[in-house]
Amino acid sequence: MAVLNQKSVLDMIKEFRRNWHTFCNSERTTVCGADSMLLALQLSMAENNKQYSGEFTVSLSDVLLTWKYLLHEKLNLPVENMKVIDHYENIRKIYDDFLKNSNMLDMIDVYKKCNVLTSNYENYANISPSQLRDFLSGRQYAVDNETDFSEPMSPISKHNWDNEKVQLLAKKIIYSYLNLLVNSKNDLALAHILNIPDRGLGREAFTDLKHAAREKQMSIFLVATSFIRTIELGGKGYAPSPSDPLRTHIKGLSNFINFIDKLDEILGEIPNPSIAGGRILSVIKMQLIKGQNSRDPFYKAIEEVAQDLDLRIKSIINSQQVDLALSTTDISPARPKSHAINHGTAYCGRDTVKTLLVLLDEEAASAPTKNKAELLYDDENTIHHNGTSILTLFR
């Protein structure tokens, strides 16, 4: 599925990464792609509606209307004669706060920050505000690849379509694990994987975590982590209150936190990013296919996605080594810095994190989902996951 300007968007994100220290406090800040931007906007609108009408819900037509307005308003494109929804300023504030608390920057923030680097502007392919708007809104799909959904699908085309959906699901789940591993504040990534595979952490568990996170002004993952650490390590005086709603979910939360700990250990203990990345993907894959039938489409999709990402990690590392060799030709080696003695402990896993960020940036720059209703509201249950939409989880 070809989308124009995709390379320019990716070049823009690479420029941002090269200058991350100028723009943000954390090297682990992740970029929010078009689909995640739309999900964040939907949640912000539902939160706004809850504040004004008591209902955490929002219609698809209102989300799409506000999405169009947001893209124009943030990119300083003309908004005259465009319909704007009530309380837009409040929605925008909730949206900005959500991204900030999740340690994320959306694609337009990245674009604006790169524009500040006027002296380095020629380092990446220029993309205009209207081109970025068209990219984010999905206007530039190749016309030949459009499917006419008004026509009934043949059994073969339906089979291919179902396989594509399972493949996309597998990709989303694995990327969400990698995203949370890199950026533990990312509540969207956590929502996608908290109960995949089934840990008994459904809507009630997510709601209890969300309320605790809001009360303590922490990310959902940090709330879950601190709760489990207190249970496992704390003495009687530090034990959570018997009335703490999270006590109901100890088993599932412990399973989830211990699994992320296992991924973190690999990140910290294996200095070679190629080996560490491959091991992380392998552990995620084994967790997801455990107990599944090897002929199951989800099983096969997870294996294929994990294999593709492992190859991509190796390709990224090879490319980085070639770039490094070219950039250091004929340059005498620098004197070791005084802190180099501490390099192994201070930067443990940093090279792997940087490699995973390249992978996540490529995913952020991928084409937006065409079927917005499915992206935002799909509560269809499948045997592979609980099928709960992000809106339903956050409700």
Side-chain angles (χ1 to χ4, degrees):
M1 190 178 289
V3 177
L4 301 174
N5 298 319
Q6 192 161 356
K7 184 182 183 302
S8 298
V9 168
L10 192 51
D11 288 342
M12 175 185 78
I13 299 174
K14 286 177 182 175
E15 185 68 14
F16 161 74
R17 284 287 167 221
R18 281 191 286 269
N19 298 276
W20 70 269
H21 49 277
T22 311
F23 300 133
C24 51
N25 298 324
S26 170
E27 190 173 17
R28 293 187 178 214
T29 298
T30 43
V31 177
C32 192
D35 285 353
S36 295
M37 285 173 70
L38 193 54
L39 285 165
L41 179 64
Q42 180 196 37
L43 293 177
S44 305
M45 294 179 71
E47 181 61 36
N48 172 77
N49 288 345
K50 186 183 176 187
Q51 290 176 12
Y52 285 96
S53 64
E55 286 287 320
F56 190 89
T57 187
V58 61
S59 70
L60 176 63
S61 57
D62 281 350
V63 174
L64 296 181
L65 179 75
T66 309
W67 175 233
K68 185 178 178 183
Y69 189 87
L70 176 83
L71 294 180
H72 280 75
E73 186 257 335
K74 278 198 81 170
L75 285 163
N76 297 318
L77 292 167
V79 292
E80 292 83 10
N81 305 320
M82 284 185 71
K83 194 175 175 188
V84 58
I85 202 158
D86 291 343
H87 313 298
Y88 174 76
E89 293 303 320
N90 189 51
I91 292 166
R92 174 70 196 274
K93 183 182 184 308
I94 297 169
Y95 173 84
D96 290 340
D97 287 346
F98 180 84
L99 292 187
K100 184 180 177 184
N101 294 336
S102 299
N103 191 26
M104 288 196 288
L105 288 172
D106 75 16
M107 206 77 82
I108 301 175
D109 293 328
V110 171
Y111 173 76
K112 287 178 172 178
K113 289 181 185 301
C114 283
N115 273 346
V116 172
L117 293 172
T118 48
S119 60
N120 291 338
Y121 198 61
E122 67 278 6
N123 286 359
Y124 70 90
N126 194 354
I127 182 169
S128 71
S130 57
Q131 286 173 325
L132 184 57
R133 173 206 60 198
D134 289 347
F135 173 81
L136 292 171
S137 59
R139 284 189 192 181
Q140 301 194 19
Y141 287 109
V143 181
D144 347 346
N145 289 337
E146 294 289 343
T147 306
D148 186 357
F149 293 105
S150 59
E151 292 180 14
M153 284 187 176
S154 68
I156 292 173
S157 61
K158 186 179 187 312
H159 174 74
N160 291 340
W161 173 242
D162 287 344
N163 279 349
E164 189 181 328
K165 283 181 74 174
V166 173
Q167 193 84 11
L168 287 171
L169 172 66
K171 203 173 173 187
K172 182 190 288 183
I173 292 167
I174 293 180
Y175 268 111
S176 294
Y177 270 109
L178 297 179
N179 215 315
L180 189 68
L181 185 62
V182 168
N183 175 13
S184 61
K185 293 183 177 180
N186 191 332
D187 286 349
L188 267 184
L190 178 136
H192 285 305
I193 56 174
L194 182 66
N195 202 35
I196 301 177
D198 190 352
R199 301 180 173 96
L201 298 173
R203 281 184 62 189
E204 185 187 344
F206 189 84
T207 300
D208 290 339
L209 281 168
K210 191 186 78 167
H211 288 161
R214 181 166 293 185
E215 186 184 317
K216 295 175 183 177
Q217 295 187 315
M218 291 157 61
S219 73
I220 294 176
F221 180 74
L222 191 53
V223 162
T225 304
S226 61
F227 175 76
I228 292 302
R229 295 282 184 268
T230 307
I231 291 285
E232 291 176 347
L233 307 173
K236 285 185 180 177
Y238 298 95
S241 159
S243 59
D244 190 326
L246 295 183
R247 278 188 169 275
T248 319
H249 317 297
I250 287 176
K251 186 180 177 184
L253 288 175
S254 181
N255 176 302
F256 180 68
I257 297 302
N258 290 335
F259 180 67
I260 301 297
D261 282 347
K262 189 187 293 185
L263 300 180
D264 249 328
E265 280 172 25
I266 297 168
L267 196 63
E269 291 176 3
I270 302 176
N272 184 317
S274 179
I275 298 171
R279 188 78 57 83
I280 286 166
L281 287 169
S282 175
V283 170
I284 293 171
K285 180 186 79 173
M286 295 313 295
Q287 176 83 349
L288 293 172
I289 64 177
K290 192 177 177 183
Q292 296 267 357
N293 186 316
S294 61
R295 280 181 279 182
D296 189 293
F298 183 70
Y299 184 108
K300 289 164 78 173
I302 289 291
E303 288 218 304
E304 285 171 16
V305 171
Q307 187 178 14
D308 288 347
L309 292 182
D310 188 27
L311 290 172
R312 184 65 199 124
I313 283 174
K314 287 173 172 54
S315 172
I316 289 166
I317 292 162
N318 288 338
S319 173
Q320 288 171 340
Q321 287 170 345
V322 169
D323 290 346
L324 186 64
L326 289 172
S327 66
T328 55
T329 305
D330 299 329
I331 298 175
S332 60
R335 278 184 69 187
K337 295 183 180 177
S338 57
H339 69 261
I341 206 165
N342 210 19
H343 190 273
T345 50
Y347 290 94
C348 210
R350 186 168 179 247
D351 288 341
T352 306
V353 168
K354 287 167 81 171
T355 302
L356 293 178
L357 277 168
V358 174
L359 208 60
L360 294 170
D361 288 345
E362 290 176 350
E363 177 62 10
S366 59
T369 299
K370 281 196 287 184
N371 190 331
K372 306 301 184 195
E374 196 168 85
L375 172 71
L376 298 172
Y377 295 95
D378 190 10
D379 270 326
E380 178 188 4
N381 286 300
T382 75
I383 58 168
H384 308 303
H385 67 126
N386 55 20
T388 309
S389 72
I390 295 295
L391 182 70
T392 306
L393 268 183
F394 275 84
R395 182 170 293 143

